[in-house]
């Protein structure tokens, strides 16, 4: 399968995030993509750089003021004063219930809170550069389907599925899967299904498409009562307005084993088949792996072969976009297994 990578992924390299009250090295770091690229190359895949500019598509899924903030955020941070290049900005205040989010404050940290769902998406000098190139790579993968490819894979970071219409969160800035889905919609696909198999609910993707009937969102994830992102991803969220019925959440308890997980995948595939999509976008999180340090499902490395085979069985032109997965040394093999399971099925 044709494979795209993000040649600028390494420019997004924040040092620390907050985890259980401590500042710890970022789980979401450049070595993740390096492992995936090494495994792909070792198995004979050629890594293509992005060849599509997703700017027009981005404007359809993200708010203009959010995109403007993200593109200029690091420069704004630097302009606060001497030494800011050696410090990471974090939000410390958020416009929750009763507070106003319609007026963008002048204060940089207040703006950062306005455009964040958590303090878990540290910015770095290259964040915009890396996120934009990654979204371009996702659009490039989508473009190959229109050109007749059966499937395309996009190896990228930072991930995207927590990024909503006007906010970052959970290591995500631009919603790569939503970019791929919107690109397909704009280039001939009347209906697109997004299947999110990351351990964490793709709240950003759900919210972007929640009131739309042209994009079905289906997600299998850790129950938000105990798992991040906590405030979205329940089974009762089925879509709104024109999009009523076009959202399916399949939350599973932490600790779920492969047998139960694959039973949920059957439900997901049945819903996608009933929707009548012209193309499929897979938010391919590999943090469902039993060795993942921050997630609690129990899929083994060989289960990713089975996942790839089942995804091919959906029978649609398919874009796979990398999301989470933090057992970095196993990430490459797990990703390649999905691709090879797909190709060999
Ligand atoms: C605590 C860590 C929050 C978990 C973020 C989950 C990221 C992920 N600051 N999403 O799919 O893998
Ligand atoms: Zn995840």
């Amino acid at each position: 399968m044709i494979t795209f990578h993000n040649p600028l992924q390494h420019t997004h390299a924040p040092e620390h995030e907050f985890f259980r009250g401590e500042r710890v090295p970022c789980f979401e770091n450049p070595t993740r993509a390096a492992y995936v690229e090494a495994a792909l190359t070792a198995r004979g895949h050629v890594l293509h750089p992005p060849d599509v500019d997703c700017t027009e598509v981005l404007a359809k899924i993200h708010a203009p003021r959010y995109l403007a903030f993200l593109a200029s955020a690091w420069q704004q941070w630097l302009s606060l004063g001497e030494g800011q290049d050696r410090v990471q900005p974090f939000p410390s205040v958020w416009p929750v219930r009763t507070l106003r989010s319609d007026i963008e404050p002048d204060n940089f940290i207040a703006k950062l809170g306005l455009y964040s769902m958590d303090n878990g998406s540290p910015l770095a000098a290259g964040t915009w550069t890396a996120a934009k190139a990654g979204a371009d790579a996702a659009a490039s993968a989508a473009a190959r389907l229109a050109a007749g490819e059966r499937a395309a894979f996009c190896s990228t970071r930072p991930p995207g599925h927590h990024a909503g219409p006007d906010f970052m969160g959970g290591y995500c800035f631009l919603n790569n899967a939503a970019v791929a889905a919107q690109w397909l919609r704009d280039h001939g696909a009347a209906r697109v299904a997004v299947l999110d198999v990351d351990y964490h609910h793709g709240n950003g993707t759900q919210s972007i498409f929640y009131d739309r009937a042209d994009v079905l969102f289906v997600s299998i994830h850790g129950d938000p009562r105990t798992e991040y992102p906590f405030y979205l991803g329940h089974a009762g969220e089925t879509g709104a307005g024109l999009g009523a019925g076009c959202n399916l959440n399949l939350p599973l308890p932490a600790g779920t084993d492969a047998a139960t997980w694959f039973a949920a995948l059957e439900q997901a595939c049945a819903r996608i088949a009933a929707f009548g999509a012209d193309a499929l976008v897979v938010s391919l999180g590999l943090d469902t792996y039993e060795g993942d340090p921050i997630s609690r499902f129990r899929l083994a490395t060989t289960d990713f072969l089975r996942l790839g085979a089942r995804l091919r069985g959906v029978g649609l032109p398919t874009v796979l976009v990398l999301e989470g997965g933090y057992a970095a040394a196993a990430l490459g093999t797990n990703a390649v297994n999905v691709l090879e399971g797909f190709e060999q099925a």
Side-chain angles (χ1 to χ4, degrees):
M1 132 179 10
I2 183 146
T3 298
F4 289 86
H5 74 133
N6 177 357
L8 300 175
Q9 65 87 10
H10 61 279
T11 64
H12 173 66
E15 283 179 47
H16 296 107
E17 67 176 274
F18 291 102
F19 186 67
R20 296 178 180 162
E22 280 191 305
R23 251 162 61 105
V24 303
C26 288
F27 289 100
E28 202 294 291
N29 58 55
T31 60
R32 298 179 58 245
Y35 274 113
V36 174
E37 293 191 10
L40 287 167
T41 305
R43 299 303 289 258
H45 296 272
V46 176
L47 299 170
H48 296 272
D51 54 14
V52 165
D53 179 352
C54 71
T55 302
E56 269 183 47
V57 169
L58 272 184
K60 295 184 182 181
I61 60 168
H62 291 296
R65 68 176 193 168
Y66 172 61
L67 292 171
F69 172 75
L70 205 55
S72 64
W74 192 256
Q75 200 46 53
Q76 291 186 50
W77 171 242
L78 290 185
S79 72
L80 288 182
E82 206 56 37
Q84 295 305 104
D85 56 325
R86 283 177 275 110
V87 187
Q88 274 175 242
F90 283 98
S92 58
V93 58
W94 288 268
V96 297
R97 294 157 298 284
T98 77
L99 299 180
R100 289 181 67 166
S101 52
D102 57 323
I103 300 174
E104 184 185 83
D106 296 335
N107 178 281
F108 175 75
I109 295 300
K111 277 189 272 201
L112 190 54
L114 173 62
Y115 296 121
S116 300
M117 61 177 275
D118 64 6
N119 77 342
S121 316
L123 290 169
T127 299
W128 170 256
T129 304
K132 172 61 165 59
D136 284 343
S140 304
R144 292 305 172 109
L145 300 197
E149 294 280 348
R150 172 70 172 80
F153 176 63
C154 172
S155 170
T156 192
R157 59 168 293 282
H161 71 152
H162 297 304
D166 62 355
F167 58 86
M168 62 189 84
Y171 316 145
C172 302
F173 302 89
L174 297 176
N175 196 311
N176 304 312
V179 165
Q182 185 64 50
W183 200 97
L184 290 162
R185 279 288 295 109
D186 291 351
H187 293 82
R191 290 155 86 81
V192 175
V194 180
L195 171 60
D196 190 322
V197 298
D198 188 280
Y199 180 78
H200 305 93
H201 176 250
N203 63 283
T205 318
Q206 170 170 313
S207 294
I208 286 168
F209 296 120
Y210 204 62
D211 58 3
R212 286 173 53 170
D214 58 331
V215 178
L216 171 72
F217 179 70
V218 179
S219 179
I220 306 168
H221 51 269
D223 190 327
R225 287 173 194 278
T226 61
E227 307 308 300
Y228 187 92
F230 304 114
Y231 310 113
L232 211 66
H234 297 277
E237 298 155 14
T238 55
L242 292 174
C246 296
N247 196 89
L248 175 62
N249 283 329
L250 300 167
L252 298 171
T256 290
D257 64 13
T260 305
W261 193 91
F262 277 99
L265 182 63
E266 285 311 312
Q267 273 184 269
C269 291
R271 182 69 190 86
I272 291 165
F275 181 68
D278 303 303
L280 174 66
V281 175
V282 179
S283 262
L284 185 62
L286 298 161
D287 42 14
T288 50
Y289 175 53
E290 58 190 353
D292 196 87
I294 64 171
S295 311
R296 296 189 283 170
F297 284 167
R298 286 158 43 205
L299 271 60
T301 288
T302 51
D303 287 322
F304 293 105
L305 288 163
R306 182 178 169 193
L307 170 58
R310 187 61 188 90
L311 292 175
R312 185 186 186 97
V314 172
L316 293 171
T318 301
V319 179
L320 302 118
V321 181
L322 187 65
E323 299 280 0
Y326 308 97
L331 196 60
T333 306
N334 290 342
V336 167
N337 276 2
V338 176
L339 268 63
E340 292 186 354
F342 192 105
E343 285 171 334
Q344 288 156 17

